[in-house]
Structure formats: structure tokens, C-alpha cells
Short mmCIF file of all heavy atoms in Angstrom, two decimals:
data_model
loop_
_atom_site.label_atom_id
_atom_site.label_comp_id
_atom_site.label_asym_id
_atom_site.label_seq_id
_atom_site.Cartn_x
_atom_site.Cartn_y
_atom_site.Cartn_z
N TYR A 1 40.48 4.97 -145.63
CA TYR A 1 39.92 6.14 -146.28
C TYR A 1 40.19 6.04 -147.79
O TYR A 1 41.07 5.31 -148.21
CB TYR A 1 40.58 7.42 -145.75
CG TYR A 1 40.46 7.62 -144.25
CD1 TYR A 1 41.24 6.88 -143.37
CD2 TYR A 1 39.57 8.55 -143.74
CE1 TYR A 1 41.12 7.06 -142.00
CE2 TYR A 1 39.46 8.75 -142.37
CZ TYR A 1 40.23 8.01 -141.52
OH TYR A 1 40.11 8.20 -140.16
N ARG A 2 39.45 6.80 -148.55
CA ARG A 2 39.74 6.84 -149.98
C ARG A 2 39.49 8.24 -150.51
O ARG A 2 38.69 9.00 -149.98
CB ARG A 2 38.91 5.82 -150.76
CG ARG A 2 37.42 6.07 -150.77
CD ARG A 2 36.69 4.91 -151.46
NE ARG A 2 35.24 5.11 -151.50
CZ ARG A 2 34.39 4.18 -151.92
NH1 ARG A 2 34.83 2.99 -152.34
NH2 ARG A 2 33.08 4.44 -151.93
N GLN A 3 40.21 8.55 -151.59
CA GLN A 3 40.06 9.85 -152.24
C GLN A 3 40.03 9.63 -153.73
O GLN A 3 41.02 9.19 -154.34
CB GLN A 3 41.21 10.78 -151.86
CG GLN A 3 41.02 12.19 -152.39
CD GLN A 3 41.99 13.18 -151.76
OE1 GLN A 3 43.03 12.80 -151.22
NE2 GLN A 3 41.64 14.45 -151.82
N ALA A 4 38.88 9.91 -154.31
CA ALA A 4 38.72 9.82 -155.76
C ALA A 4 39.15 11.15 -156.40
O ALA A 4 39.17 12.19 -155.72
CB ALA A 4 37.26 9.52 -156.11
N PRO A 5 39.50 11.14 -157.66
CA PRO A 5 39.93 12.37 -158.34
C PRO A 5 38.89 13.47 -158.20
O PRO A 5 37.70 13.24 -158.46
CB PRO A 5 40.10 11.94 -159.80
CG PRO A 5 40.38 10.49 -159.73
CD PRO A 5 39.59 9.97 -158.57
N GLY A 6 39.33 14.64 -157.76
CA GLY A 6 38.44 15.78 -157.63
C GLY A 6 37.51 15.73 -156.43
O GLY A 6 36.66 16.61 -156.28
N GLU A 7 37.67 14.71 -155.58
CA GLU A 7 36.81 14.56 -154.42
C GLU A 7 37.61 14.70 -153.13
O GLU A 7 38.84 14.60 -153.13
CB GLU A 7 36.13 13.19 -154.44
CG GLU A 7 35.30 12.91 -155.68
CD GLU A 7 34.04 13.75 -155.73
OE1 GLU A 7 33.55 14.15 -154.65
OE2 GLU A 7 33.54 14.01 -156.85
N GLN A 8 36.90 14.93 -152.03
CA GLN A 8 37.56 14.96 -150.74
C GLN A 8 37.80 13.53 -150.25
O GLN A 8 37.09 12.59 -150.65
CB GLN A 8 36.69 15.72 -149.73
CG GLN A 8 36.61 17.21 -149.97
CD GLN A 8 35.95 17.95 -148.83
OE1 GLN A 8 35.20 17.38 -148.04
NE2 GLN A 8 36.23 19.24 -148.71
N ARG A 9 38.78 13.40 -149.40
CA ARG A 9 39.05 12.11 -148.79
C ARG A 9 37.87 11.74 -147.89
O ARG A 9 37.36 12.58 -147.15
CB ARG A 9 40.34 12.18 -147.99
CG ARG A 9 40.88 10.85 -147.52
CD ARG A 9 42.25 11.03 -146.89
NE ARG A 9 43.22 11.51 -147.85
CZ ARG A 9 44.44 11.94 -147.53
NH1 ARG A 9 44.81 11.94 -146.28
NH2 ARG A 9 45.28 12.34 -148.46
N GLU A 10 37.45 10.48 -147.95
CA GLU A 10 36.33 10.04 -147.14
C GLU A 10 36.68 8.76 -146.38
O GLU A 10 37.48 7.94 -146.84
CB GLU A 10 35.09 9.77 -148.01
CG GLU A 10 35.26 8.65 -149.02
CD GLU A 10 33.96 8.24 -149.69
OE1 GLU A 10 32.87 8.67 -149.25
OE2 GLU A 10 34.03 7.46 -150.66
N LEU A 11 36.05 8.62 -145.22
CA LEU A 11 36.21 7.41 -144.43
C LEU A 11 35.37 6.30 -145.06
O LEU A 11 34.21 6.49 -145.38
CB LEU A 11 35.76 7.66 -142.99
CG LEU A 11 35.76 6.47 -142.04
CD1 LEU A 11 37.16 5.97 -141.79
CD2 LEU A 11 35.09 6.86 -140.73
N VAL A 12 35.98 5.12 -145.20
CA VAL A 12 35.29 3.98 -145.81
C VAL A 12 34.88 2.97 -144.75
O VAL A 12 33.76 2.45 -144.77
CB VAL A 12 36.20 3.31 -146.85
CG1 VAL A 12 35.57 2.03 -147.38
CG2 VAL A 12 36.51 4.26 -147.99
N ALA A 13 35.79 2.70 -143.82
CA ALA A 13 35.53 1.69 -142.80
C ALA A 13 36.49 1.91 -141.65
O ALA A 13 37.58 2.46 -141.84
CB ALA A 13 35.70 0.28 -143.35
N TYR A 14 36.09 1.46 -140.45
CA TYR A 14 37.02 1.45 -139.34
C TYR A 14 36.75 0.26 -138.44
O TYR A 14 35.67 -0.32 -138.46
CB TYR A 14 37.03 2.77 -138.56
CG TYR A 14 35.78 3.13 -137.79
CD1 TYR A 14 35.41 2.46 -136.63
CD2 TYR A 14 35.00 4.20 -138.20
CE1 TYR A 14 34.28 2.82 -135.91
CE2 TYR A 14 33.86 4.58 -137.49
CZ TYR A 14 33.51 3.88 -136.34
OH TYR A 14 32.39 4.25 -135.63
N ILE A 15 37.77 -0.06 -137.64
CA ILE A 15 37.66 -1.14 -136.66
C ILE A 15 38.19 -0.60 -135.33
O ILE A 15 39.25 0.02 -135.28
CB ILE A 15 38.44 -2.40 -137.12
CG1 ILE A 15 38.29 -3.54 -136.11
CG2 ILE A 15 39.90 -2.09 -137.42
CD1 ILE A 15 38.79 -4.88 -136.63
N THR A 16 37.42 -0.80 -134.27
CA THR A 16 37.80 -0.26 -132.97
C THR A 16 38.69 -1.24 -132.21
O THR A 16 38.91 -2.38 -132.62
CB THR A 16 36.54 0.02 -132.12
OG1 THR A 16 35.97 -1.23 -131.73
CG2 THR A 16 35.52 0.84 -132.91
N ASP A 17 39.16 -0.78 -131.05
CA ASP A 17 39.99 -1.66 -130.22
C ASP A 17 39.19 -2.86 -129.74
O ASP A 17 39.76 -3.92 -129.46
CB ASP A 17 40.59 -0.89 -129.05
CG ASP A 17 39.53 -0.22 -128.18
OD1 ASP A 17 38.36 -0.17 -128.59
OD2 ASP A 17 39.88 0.27 -127.10
N ALA A 18 37.88 -2.72 -129.67
CA ALA A 18 37.02 -3.84 -129.27
C ALA A 18 36.53 -4.64 -130.47
O ALA A 18 35.63 -5.48 -130.34
CB ALA A 18 35.82 -3.30 -128.49
N ARG A 19 37.09 -4.38 -131.64
CA ARG A 19 36.76 -5.09 -132.87
C ARG A 19 35.36 -4.79 -133.40
O ARG A 19 34.82 -5.55 -134.20
CB ARG A 19 36.98 -6.60 -132.76
CG ARG A 19 38.42 -7.02 -132.57
CD ARG A 19 38.59 -8.51 -132.66
NE ARG A 19 39.97 -8.92 -132.47
CZ ARG A 19 40.85 -9.02 -133.45
NH1 ARG A 19 40.49 -8.76 -134.69
NH2 ARG A 19 42.09 -9.38 -133.20
N SER A 20 34.77 -3.70 -132.94
CA SER A 20 33.53 -3.25 -133.60
C SER A 20 33.92 -2.67 -134.95
O SER A 20 34.98 -2.04 -135.09
CB SER A 20 32.84 -2.20 -132.75
OG SER A 20 32.41 -2.73 -131.53
N ARG A 21 33.07 -2.86 -135.93
CA ARG A 21 33.37 -2.39 -137.28
C ARG A 21 32.28 -1.47 -137.79
O ARG A 21 31.09 -1.64 -137.48
CB ARG A 21 33.51 -3.58 -138.23
CG ARG A 21 34.70 -4.48 -137.94
CD ARG A 21 34.60 -5.77 -138.72
NE ARG A 21 35.81 -6.57 -138.62
CZ ARG A 21 36.08 -7.41 -137.63
NH1 ARG A 21 35.21 -7.57 -136.65
NH2 ARG A 21 37.21 -8.11 -137.63
N TYR A 22 32.71 -0.49 -138.54
CA TYR A 22 31.80 0.45 -139.19
C TYR A 22 32.13 0.49 -140.68
O TYR A 22 33.30 0.45 -141.05
CB TYR A 22 31.95 1.85 -138.60
CG TYR A 22 31.40 2.93 -139.50
CD1 TYR A 22 30.05 3.28 -139.45
CD2 TYR A 22 32.22 3.59 -140.41
CE1 TYR A 22 29.55 4.26 -140.29
CE2 TYR A 22 31.72 4.57 -141.26
CZ TYR A 22 30.38 4.89 -141.20
OH TYR A 22 29.88 5.84 -142.03
N TYR A 23 31.07 0.58 -141.50
CA TYR A 23 31.26 0.72 -142.94
C TYR A 23 30.35 1.82 -143.47
O TYR A 23 29.18 1.92 -143.05
CB TYR A 23 30.92 -0.58 -143.66
CG TYR A 23 31.76 -1.77 -143.24
CD1 TYR A 23 31.31 -2.64 -142.25
CD2 TYR A 23 33.01 -2.00 -143.80
CE1 TYR A 23 32.08 -3.71 -141.84
CE2 TYR A 23 33.78 -3.08 -143.39
CZ TYR A 23 33.31 -3.92 -142.41
OH TYR A 23 34.08 -4.99 -142.01
N VAL A 24 30.86 2.59 -144.38
CA VAL A 24 30.00 3.56 -145.07
C VAL A 24 29.00 2.77 -145.91
O VAL A 24 29.30 1.65 -146.38
CB VAL A 24 30.86 4.52 -145.92
CG1 VAL A 24 31.51 3.79 -147.08
CG2 VAL A 24 30.06 5.70 -146.38
N ASP A 25 27.81 3.30 -146.08
CA ASP A 25 26.74 2.57 -146.78
C ASP A 25 27.18 2.05 -148.15
O ASP A 25 26.78 0.96 -148.56
CB ASP A 25 25.50 3.46 -146.94
CG ASP A 25 24.73 3.62 -145.64
OD1 ASP A 25 25.01 2.87 -144.68
OD2 ASP A 25 23.85 4.50 -145.59
N ALA A 26 27.99 2.82 -148.85
CA ALA A 26 28.36 2.46 -150.22
C ALA A 26 29.16 1.16 -150.31
O ALA A 26 29.23 0.55 -151.38
CB ALA A 26 29.16 3.60 -150.85
N VAL A 27 29.76 0.72 -149.20
CA VAL A 27 30.60 -0.48 -149.25
C VAL A 27 30.08 -1.61 -148.37
O VAL A 27 30.66 -2.70 -148.36
CB VAL A 27 32.07 -0.16 -148.89
CG1 VAL A 27 32.59 1.00 -149.73
CG2 VAL A 27 32.24 0.11 -147.41
N LYS A 28 29.01 -1.37 -147.64
CA LYS A 28 28.47 -2.41 -146.76
C LYS A 28 28.14 -3.67 -147.53
O LYS A 28 27.55 -3.62 -148.61
CB LYS A 28 27.20 -1.90 -146.07
CG LYS A 28 27.45 -1.04 -144.85
CD LYS A 28 26.14 -0.61 -144.20
CE LYS A 28 26.39 0.30 -143.01
NZ LYS A 28 25.12 0.79 -142.42
N GLY A 29 28.55 -4.80 -146.97
CA GLY A 29 28.28 -6.08 -147.62
C GLY A 29 29.32 -6.46 -148.66
O GLY A 29 29.31 -7.59 -149.16
N ARG A 30 30.20 -5.53 -149.00
CA ARG A 30 31.23 -5.81 -150.02
C ARG A 30 32.64 -5.74 -149.46
O ARG A 30 33.52 -6.47 -149.92
CB ARG A 30 31.09 -4.82 -151.18
CG ARG A 30 29.75 -4.83 -151.88
CD ARG A 30 29.76 -3.98 -153.14
NE ARG A 30 30.00 -2.57 -152.85
CZ ARG A 30 31.02 -1.88 -153.37
NH1 ARG A 30 31.90 -2.46 -154.19
NH2 ARG A 30 31.17 -0.58 -153.08
N PHE A 31 32.86 -4.85 -148.51
CA PHE A 31 34.19 -4.66 -147.93
C PHE A 31 34.21 -5.21 -146.51
O PHE A 31 33.21 -5.15 -145.78
CB PHE A 31 34.55 -3.19 -147.88
CG PHE A 31 34.81 -2.53 -149.21
CD1 PHE A 31 34.51 -3.16 -150.41
CD2 PHE A 31 35.36 -1.25 -149.25
CE1 PHE A 31 34.75 -2.55 -151.63
CE2 PHE A 31 35.60 -0.63 -150.46
CZ PHE A 31 35.29 -1.27 -151.65
N THR A 32 35.39 -5.73 -146.12
CA THR A 32 35.58 -6.20 -144.75
C THR A 32 36.92 -5.69 -144.23
O THR A 32 37.96 -5.92 -144.85
CB THR A 32 35.56 -7.73 -144.69
OG1 THR A 32 34.32 -8.23 -145.22
CG2 THR A 32 35.71 -8.21 -143.25
N ILE A 33 36.88 -5.01 -143.09
CA ILE A 33 38.10 -4.53 -142.46
C ILE A 33 38.51 -5.50 -141.37
O ILE A 33 37.66 -6.07 -140.67
CB ILE A 33 37.91 -3.10 -141.90
CG1 ILE A 33 39.23 -2.51 -141.44
CG2 ILE A 33 36.86 -3.07 -140.80
CD1 ILE A 33 39.15 -1.01 -141.09
N SER A 34 39.82 -5.70 -141.24
CA SER A 34 40.33 -6.60 -140.21
C SER A 34 41.71 -6.11 -139.78
O SER A 34 42.29 -5.21 -140.42
CB SER A 34 40.42 -8.03 -140.73
OG SER A 34 41.29 -8.12 -141.83
N ARG A 35 42.18 -6.68 -138.71
CA ARG A 35 43.53 -6.31 -138.25
C ARG A 35 44.26 -7.56 -137.79
O ARG A 35 43.66 -8.55 -137.39
CB ARG A 35 43.46 -5.27 -137.13
CG ARG A 35 42.90 -5.80 -135.83
CD ARG A 35 43.04 -4.79 -134.70
NE ARG A 35 42.60 -5.34 -133.44
CZ ARG A 35 41.68 -4.79 -132.67
NH1 ARG A 35 41.11 -3.66 -133.03
NH2 ARG A 35 41.35 -5.34 -131.53
N ASP A 36 45.58 -7.48 -137.85
CA ASP A 36 46.47 -8.53 -137.38
C ASP A 36 47.34 -7.89 -136.30
O ASP A 36 48.26 -7.14 -136.62
CB ASP A 36 47.31 -9.07 -138.54
CG ASP A 36 48.20 -10.23 -138.13
OD1 ASP A 36 48.62 -10.29 -136.95
OD2 ASP A 36 48.49 -11.08 -138.98
#
């Protein structure tokens, strides 16, 4: 998640237990979420 000054906290990306990934449109193609 991220919170910019004066803004509400927003979800940016998530990864499920099955390794499905979701990205908010603003970061698609630029951000990659992973887990170890």
C-alpha cells in the first residue's frame, strides 16, 4: 500500500497464496510484487 501526503492510503499490488498478482492501473508494467 502507499500513502502520499494529503491522500488516503491505497492498495498498490497484492499477491495471493496461489501466486496470482494484482496491480493498480497506475503501476502496471512497472512494479512487480513477489514473496520469499
